[in-house]
Amino acid sequence: MVDQWTDAEQTQLYYSAFRLSANGMAFFSEEGLFLRVNPAFGKQIGYPEEALNGTPWEPFIHPDDRKQIHRMLKDMANGTHGFQPFKARLIRSDGAPVRCSVTVPDIISPNGLPAFLFVQILDNDARSRFAIPAPGRESAREPDGTSSDSLYRTLVEQSTDVVSKHDLSGRILYISPSCRNLLGYEPEELIGMNICDLIHPEDLTKIPGFMSPLVTAPNLPLISYRIRKKNGGYVWFETSGRIADEHGSENGQTVVCISRDVSSRKQTEQQLMKTNELLQKISSIDALTGLANRRFFDERFAKEWRHAMRFSTPLSVILLDIDYFKRYNDTYGHHDGDACLQYVAEAMRRAAKRPGDMIARYGGEEFVIVLPVTDGRGALHVAERMRSEVELLRIPHRRSAVSSFVTASLGVATMVPARDVSPRELIIRADKALYRAKQEGRNRAIAYGDE
């Protein structure tokens, strides 16, 4: 279909694709100069675009790769054909290497030889640091006055980007050959199809933000979405674009888009997110019991205190201590001691049934339970249920002075937080109640203030 367009329309498409592409691209002339570079290329190696056009490329190529490129240019001059892409390194302005691909386009100069080399940056890190520019409505004719349609057509045919052209409804008017590799479709299969029909249903909400600003904004926002391949699978695309004013189209406007496959990056991002979530979870959990650890308790307790103070609701805390646990360890060994802690932790989980209740290992054989929106009566009921669950475990403890089985003592405290009271005061009160429970014979739950 592109062949049915006027020369001006084709040139505008190719030129827009070259300028908008997030891939850094450049052309080396046979004379060893930068023939043309796009904005992404300059940004990704740290130099202004205008400082590169017409200058020698050699200082910007890694010394170890210059010889191979010179050999390619020499072979071109001798009429050699069938060049394979060559992986080289550019030198960024800060001295860091940036990977690129150097190829010989299938375009013939008047003397019958390839006219230039096509260079495309491959380094994903360099691309991610580049914000796609918002070019003005430059003419597709270059400053030297020569038409560059063949140059930019090379971009469309050689680039790994998908170049597409749409009307304002999203209907595809043109799509570049790279859609074969990325989506599995022949270009002709997609012409006339609406892009919305290919986008994942969960990502369709992004499309109004993609299409509606066109009537007022010349450049599309950069968006990421999943697009359906011919085999039914999906790949992640990242797309940017701009409006082109054309006669004969709806509202006199069409949209030129540049899309690239970012599936690998998305997969890495999702894996990183899962890893971070796992690390966050691990850092918040006591490894032995699987309960929250002291660090997480401190954070959660502070949050619950602020919430209760804001809404003037009661907040309760229970401190639980396993009776004569040191004697248990000395008698049965640390291995059985660890198992005892795990059994007690599970018993506490059974007793604290509300999703908002939090149980944490406070230290050693001591545990803490935070009960949001719970008055003293309710907290004492939970504490008594925990005491009973521990006793029902029937874990032998022949050196206990209270029972022949493992038991626990609990202290309960409740407050409606106030600005002039420290959160620590609630813990202190629960600790005093726990001390009283031990003083009064252990294996019992005592509320602060009960006499």
Side-chain angles (χ1 to χ4, degrees):
M1 184 172 178
V2 70
D3 293 332
Q4 301 174 13
W5 298 350
T6 66
D7 290 343
E9 288 174 335
Q10 290 186 40
T11 301
Q12 182 63 51
L13 170 67
Y14 302 144
Y15 181 68
S16 294
F18 181 72
R19 302 288 299 174
L20 283 170
S21 178
N23 285 350
M25 300 180 185
F27 297 98
F28 290 176
S29 72
E30 291 180 277
E31 293 76 24
L33 303 177
F34 281 110
L35 187 59
R36 296 286 183 269
V37 305
N38 71 348
F41 187 92
K43 290 281 187 179
Q44 289 164 10
I45 67 171
Y47 295 95
E49 173 192 358
E50 57 273 12
L52 298 175
N53 285 325
T55 62
W57 53 258
E58 185 169 302
F60 300 92
I61 296 292
H62 193 284
D64 294 343
D65 299 329
R66 294 170 187 168
K67 186 175 180 180
Q68 174 65 17
I69 297 178
H70 279 299
R71 184 181 299 117
M72 291 177 73
L73 289 168
K74 182 178 180 180
D75 289 343
M76 286 168 56
N78 292 332
T80 303
H81 297 277
F83 295 96
Q84 295 299 313
F86 167 61
K87 298 295 190 298
R89 288 159 292 178
L90 295 157
I91 302 298
R92 211 167 56 205
S93 58
D94 61 4
V98 176
R99 295 178 304 117
C100 68
S101 172
V102 181
T103 57
V104 177
D106 187 22
I107 292 180
I108 306 301
S109 65
N111 62 1
L113 300 178
F116 45 81
L117 296 178
F118 176 64
V119 182
Q120 183 171 202
I121 289 178
L122 303 174
D123 194 314
N124 286 324
D125 290 337
R127 294 183 198 174
S128 64
R129 283 190 294 270
F130 170 64
I132 294 179
R137 302 205 179 257
E138 306 94 332
S139 167
R141 189 165 293 275
E142 292 299 327
D144 60 9
T146 62
S147 174
S148 299
D149 178 68
S150 61
L151 274 178
Y152 302 129
R153 185 160 191 158
T154 298
L155 161 74
V156 174
E157 295 173 351
Q158 302 274 343
S159 174
T160 55
D161 286 346
V162 173
V163 180
S164 58
K165 187 175 184 178
H166 311 257
D167 62 21
L168 294 190
S169 71
R171 186 168 59 95
I172 301 172
L173 305 176
Y174 166 80
I175 191 163
S176 62
S178 53
C179 69
R180 294 191 189 101
N181 293 330
L182 295 183
L183 299 177
Y185 293 99
E186 290 296 322
E188 296 76 16
E189 296 179 83
L190 296 177
I191 301 300
M193 185 179 292
N194 195 297
I195 188 65
C196 296
D197 295 334
L198 296 174
I199 291 174
H200 195 288
E202 294 177 4
D203 298 334
L204 280 173
T205 54
K206 302 175 183 178
I207 301 310
F210 170 41
M211 300 302 295
S212 60
L214 296 181
V215 293
T216 57
N219 299 288
L220 300 181
L222 184 67
I223 60 170
S224 297
Y225 57 92
R226 286 162 291 181
I227 187 167
R228 190 177 69 247
K229 299 177 9 178
K230 189 172 183 178
N231 64 10
Y234 284 88
V235 294
W236 277 97
F237 262 22
E238 191 171 72
T239 297
S240 66
R242 60 177 296 190
I243 308 176
D245 290 326
E246 292 184 7
H247 297 295
S249 62
E250 180 185 353
N251 296 325
Q253 293 179 324
T254 57
V255 188
V256 176
C257 292
I258 310 297
S259 306
R260 59 185 176 120
D261 183 355
V262 293
S263 300
S264 296
R265 193 189 76 196
K266 284 290 183 179
Q267 184 176 6
T268 300
E269 289 174 355
Q270 290 168 359
Q271 186 60 48
L272 182 60
M273 186 180 300
K274 290 180 182 178
T275 301
N276 287 337
E277 290 173 355
L278 179 61
L279 290 175
Q280 181 66 31
K281 185 176 180 180
I282 291 173
S283 69
S284 302
I285 291 178
D286 174 64
L288 178 63
T289 64
L291 299 174
N293 59 19
R294 177 65 180 270
R295 170 180 168 273
F296 184 77
F297 162 76
D298 290 339
E299 294 175 357
R300 176 70 178 275
F301 179 62
K303 179 180 178 181
E304 295 295 351
W305 179 273
R306 291 191 299 269
H307 187 273
M309 181 168 59
R310 179 181 178 186
F311 294 98
S312 297
T313 53
L315 180 65
S316 294
V317 164
I318 302 172
L319 287 178
L320 180 150
D321 192 85
I322 300 175
D323 294 327
Y324 300 110
F325 187 71
K326 184 177 185 304
R327 294 184 187 180
Y328 186 92
N329 262 342
D330 293 342
T331 303
Y332 298 100
H334 289 286
H335 183 271
D336 283 358
D338 288 347
C340 177
L341 290 171
Q342 291 170 336
Y343 289 135
V344 169
E346 186 56 38
M348 294 173 68
R349 286 192 186 95
R350 289 195 295 271
K353 299 179 179 180
R354 297 187 311 175
D357 298 341
M358 186 198 67
I359 311 171
R361 188 178 179 190
Y362 201 57
E365 71 276 16
E366 195 170 32
F367 300 86
V368 62
I369 304 93
V370 180
L371 305 172
V373 197
T374 306
D375 60 18
R377 188 175 181 180
L380 188 59
H381 177 74
V382 173
E384 178 57 34
R385 192 163 64 228
M386 286 186 171
R387 186 207 63 76
S388 177
E389 288 284 353
V390 171
E391 193 172 36
L392 288 173
L393 291 171
R394 310 284 287 180
I395 301 173
H397 189 351
R398 63 175 179 265
R399 291 193 60 194
S400 171
V402 180
S403 168
S404 56
F405 301 103
V406 168
T407 59
S409 299
L410 302 94
V412 183
T414 302
M415 292 179 67
V416 175
R419 293 188 182 280
D420 57 348
V421 179
S422 168
R424 185 67 187 163
E425 178 62 26
L426 184 56
I427 305 298
I428 293 172
R429 292 184 183 187
D431 191 55
K432 288 179 179 179
L434 175 61
Y435 179 77
R436 279 191 51 220
K438 292 180 179 180
Q439 289 295 102
E440 295 182 13
R442 301 179 190 256
N443 190 24
R444 66 192 65 226
I446 296 289
Y448 176 82
D450 288 350
E451 300 295 341

